């Protein structure tokens, strides 16, 4: 590339842009383009080998930290880069602090704000590189990063080293296929999806080698993007695996998730359920996922690492009249995954858009480790169990008076011997938390005769002076016994 910052700003995509600082640097030559949405300032170091890059950011990882924003600008200037373009104003960062503007001015680093929120990173990169100027759809920012690297791959010894750098820097898998879909080159990741399955999906989506923009294809729940590239007069298909949307949602980075979802084009009404699962990485579970997608018409978006899987279930054109039916199908899927005795699935079904997904992952993250100990016999956990656990955690770490109100419900047990107390409390916990107030199930779990269970329950009723299954009694009693179990886990 040999454009200056000023020449870039003359393009149509910058017509609603403002130069806030660094006017002396507008003649800086732009050698390349990159997206800079990191969490810590040290991440700039990975660009130290290059100079003259024009960066695009929404400060999505450091929205509330003006100090870090200033340090990022200083490090970009020290690295000899050409400028910084701020995107998603008002939707991500609300307003730039004056200290940030002063930092850019003192460093003579052009600081540009794009006020058009309909534009995303890909629009800007495509316009500057001259690649597909007429494309109105936009494309995934990872695709743009790869294309940018390919356009500049003369900086590298060969094409393979250029594409490897793009894959490593952006954390995705890339496969280069010939016109007949034979694999030419691959940068591996831990994804388990086969090239054959990806090719099948691509053919089903009628990839014909002529499209210039990227095409989104879901391959067994993994988000992939396809694009044709031309290298030394030969056309190839380029296939990339992207997990950034799920990762952004799991991290609770809502601004970044909204940005990525613009490209994935998942409507809020299409999101049905999210889940976190442990120990479901088996061929039988994979078959269950594939069958669920094929037979029920749902899409599964997921990432797996070290025996843990995060996922989101969507359905295109979800009929509102059938939402209840769709939720039931999701619940049936989770139940079918618990074949492995060590498997644990935590799901929240019934989600309100991207905000709801991020909030659901947060609730799961905060409660799952406690939930599996409060309910040791369960393998599938719903939002009801996790809501109970979250409330118990809040009570445990909050004001002592609220906890005392619940624990006092069990005070009569202190009046009997320790052996009897242990027997009756253990029976009560199992009856209320583990067996759904079913005496036969309680008998099975504890390993005693059902008549013994019934005898102990009568003793508990007499001791507390209430019928423990009464609808005004069981809510408070459930929290009380859950708090007793939680006490054993808290430091």
């Amino acid at each position: 590339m040999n454009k200056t910052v000023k020449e870039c700003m003359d393009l149509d995509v910058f017509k609603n842009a403002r130069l806030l600082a660094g006017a002396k640097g507008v003649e800086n030559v732009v050698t390349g383009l990159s997206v800079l949405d990191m969490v810590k300032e040290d991440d700039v170091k990975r660009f130290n080998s290059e100079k003259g890059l024009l960066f695009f950011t929404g400060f999505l990882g450091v929205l509330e930290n003006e100090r870090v924003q200033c340090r990022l600008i200083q490090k970009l200037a020290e690295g000899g880069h050409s400028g910084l373009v701020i995107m998603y104003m008002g939707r991500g960062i609300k307003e730039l602090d004056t200290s940030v503007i002063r930092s850019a001015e003192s460093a003579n680093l052009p600081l540009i704000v794009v006020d058009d929120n309909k534009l995303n990173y890909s629009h800007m990169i495509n316009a500057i590189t001259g690649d597909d100027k007429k494309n109105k759809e936009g494309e995934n920012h990872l695709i743009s990063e790869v294309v940018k690297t390919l356009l500049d791959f003369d900086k590298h010894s060969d094409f393979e080293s250029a594409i490897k750098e793009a894959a490593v820097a952006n954390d995705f898998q890339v496969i280069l296929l010939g016109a007949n879909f034979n694999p030419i080159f691959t940068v591996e990741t831990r994804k388990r999806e086969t090239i054959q399955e990806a090719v099948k999906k691509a053919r089903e989506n009628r990839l014909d080698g002529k499209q210039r923009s990227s095409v989104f294809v879901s391959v067994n729940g993994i988000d992939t993007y396809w694009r044709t590239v031309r290298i030394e007069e030969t056309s190839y298909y380029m296939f990339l695996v992207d997990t950034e949307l799920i990762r952004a949602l799991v991290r609770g980075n809502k601004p970044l998730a909204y940005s990525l979802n613009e490209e994935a084009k998942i409507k809020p009404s299409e999101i049905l359920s999210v889940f976190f699962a442990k120990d479901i990485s088996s061929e039988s579970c994979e078959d269950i996922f594939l069958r669920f997608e094929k037979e029920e018409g749902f899409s599964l978006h997921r990432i797996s690492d070290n025996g843990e899987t995060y996922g989101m279930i969507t359905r295109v054109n979800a009929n509102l009249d059938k939402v209840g039916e769709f939720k039931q199908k999701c619940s049936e899927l989770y139940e079918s995954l618990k074949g492995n005795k060590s498997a644990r699935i935590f799901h929240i079904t019934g989600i309100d858009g991207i905000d709801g997904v991020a909030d659901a992952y947060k609730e799961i993250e905060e409660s799952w480790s406690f939930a599996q100990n409060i309910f040791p016999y369960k393998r599938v956990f719903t939002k009801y169990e996790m809501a109970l656990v979250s409330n118990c955690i809040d009570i445990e770490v909050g004001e002592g008076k609220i906890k005392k109100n619940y624990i006092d419900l069990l005070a009569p047990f202190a009046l009997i011997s320790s052996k009897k107390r242990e027997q009756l409390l253990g029976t009560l916990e199992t009856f209320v938390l583990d067996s759904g107030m079913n005496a036969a199930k309680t008998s099975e779990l504890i390993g005693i005769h059902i008549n013994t269970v019934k005898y102990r329950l009568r003793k508990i009723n007499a001791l507390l002076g209430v019928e423990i299954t009464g609808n005004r009694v069981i809510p408070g009693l459930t929290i009380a016994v859950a708090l007793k179990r939680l006490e054993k886990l808290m430091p």
Side-chain angles (χ1 to χ4, degrees), residues 91 245 253-263 353-355:
R91 197 175 59 192
L245 176 58
N253 192 335
K254 294 180 183 180
L256 179 57
Y258 270 108
S259 173
L260 294 171
N261 192 51
E262 281 185 2
E263 297 151 1
I354 293 297
D355 281 340

Side-chain angles (χ1 to χ4, degrees), residues 239-368:
F239 157 67
L240 300 100
V241 176
D242 177 17
T243 60
E244 277 306 298
L245 176 58
I246 297 296
R247 293 188 191 282
L249 289 166
V250 170
R251 292 193 298 262
N253 192 335
K254 294 180 183 180
L256 179 57
Y258 270 108
S259 173
L260 294 171
N261 192 51
E262 281 185 2
E263 297 151 1
K265 294 181 171 61
I266 298 174
K267 297 178 181 177
S269 60
E270 295 172 356
I271 303 172
L272 298 172
S273 181
V274 301
F275 66 91
F276 165 67
K278 296 176 66 66
D279 297 331
I280 63 167
S281 300
S282 65
E283 289 188 11
S284 60
C285 289
E286 197 66 28
D287 290 341
I288 291 171
F289 281 131
L290 294 177
R291 193 163 56 248
F292 177 75
E293 285 190 293
K294 183 177 180 180
E295 295 177 0
E296 304 297 344
F298 293 83
S299 293
L300 279 157
H301 311 261
R302 50 197 163 94
I303 55 175
S304 297
D305 190 16
N306 295 324
E308 298 182 345
T309 301
Y310 290 90
M312 177 172 68
I313 300 177
T314 64
R315 185 182 177 95
V316 177
N317 298 324
N319 189 325
L320 292 177
D321 294 335
K322 293 188 176 182
V323 168
E325 178 184 330
F326 294 154
K327 291 179 181 178
Q328 180 60 36
K329 292 292 184 183
C330 293
S331 297
E332 291 173 3
L333 167 68
Y334 299 131
E335 288 293 329
S336 66
L337 292 170
K338 66 179 186 181
N340 177 4
K341 289 186 177 181
S342 64
R344 296 294 183 271
I345 301 104
F346 307 83
H347 72 95
I348 294 183
T349 300
I351 299 293
D352 184 17
I354 293 297
D355 281 340
V357 173
D359 292 342
Y361 277 129
K362 180 181 180 182
E363 182 172 350
I364 291 172
E365 186 66 24
E366 291 177 347
S367 62
W368 73 263

